[in-house]
Amino acid sequence: RSAGAAPANGDELQFLTSIPSGQFDEFTFTTQPPNSFNAALAKGELARVRAVPNPYFAHSQYELNRFNRVLKFTHLPARCTIRLFNLAGDLVRTIEKNDNTSQATWDLNTNHGLPVGSGVYIFHIDAPGVGSTTGKVAVFMEKERLNNF
């Protein structure tokens, strides 16, 4: 377990004292579970939301191969909806996030499973009980080359 991590149920802890203890000494410790939702903290994190890499130049360090496109959104709350729009205002993609991570991944496809074109996209993040934020990301896709036709 990493340093500073809260003990899990059933973990044993050992305490060393610098004073001698007797057989009738008794120590009592109480703990509280971590706060599962802090709205003020979550609102502060919304201002830090980023799309990475930005701009996206045909590939990113997150990709494992040339067919797996990855653009990430960071500093997200546990539950939110990410909507991506082109500059004409058309909804391109909706991503639902509902997990305990602070990131979500966009595969650079539309809601219809087609790859997006190069351009600037506006993202709107709506987090229930927290708020919303917007941002932009530039995407430069590589030229498609057909070897067989």
Side-chain angles (χ1 to χ4, degrees):
R1 188 174 303 279
S2 64
N9 217 0
D11 281 355
E12 289 186 18
L13 301 174
Q14 181 180 15
F15 294 93
L16 302 175
T17 62
S18 59
I19 58 172
S21 59
Q23 66 183 30
F24 299 110
D25 289 343
E26 184 176 309
F27 299 95
T28 303
F29 298 93
T30 58
T31 61
Q32 295 181 356
N35 186 357
S36 61
F37 180 72
N38 183 331
L41 179 62
K43 284 181 185 181
E45 284 294 295
L46 272 182
R48 298 180 60 204
V49 168
R50 299 286 181 266
V52 291
N54 191 8
Y56 176 92
F57 282 115
H59 64 84
S60 75
Q61 67 184 14
Y62 305 115
E63 298 170 353
L64 301 176
N65 59 50
R66 60 180 242 157
F67 303 108
N68 176 24
R69 305 202 189 288
V70 177
L71 187 139
K72 291 191 178 201
F73 295 93
T74 63
H75 297 94
L76 295 171
R79 196 170 69 109
C80 65
T81 302
I82 304 166
R83 291 182 181 87
L84 294 132
F85 300 89
N86 62 20
L87 289 182
D90 300 322
L91 179 64
V92 173
R93 181 72 184 262
T94 302
I95 301 169
E96 296 287 340
K97 178 186 172 309
N98 190 7
D99 57 32
N100 288 327
T101 67
S102 63
Q103 298 182 0
T105 300
W106 179 27
D107 59 6
L108 295 167
N109 287 334
T110 66
N111 280 334
H112 302 292
L114 300 171
V116 297
S118 297
V120 176
Y121 293 87
I122 306 299
F123 60 85
H124 177 264
I125 297 169
D126 183 28
V130 176
S132 64
T133 190
T134 59
K136 59 187 174 229
V137 60
V139 175
F140 298 95
M141 299 297 281
E142 66 183 314
K143 185 176 178 179
E144 293 291 330
R145 299 184 189 270
L146 299 174
N147 295 332
N148 299 319
F149 47 91

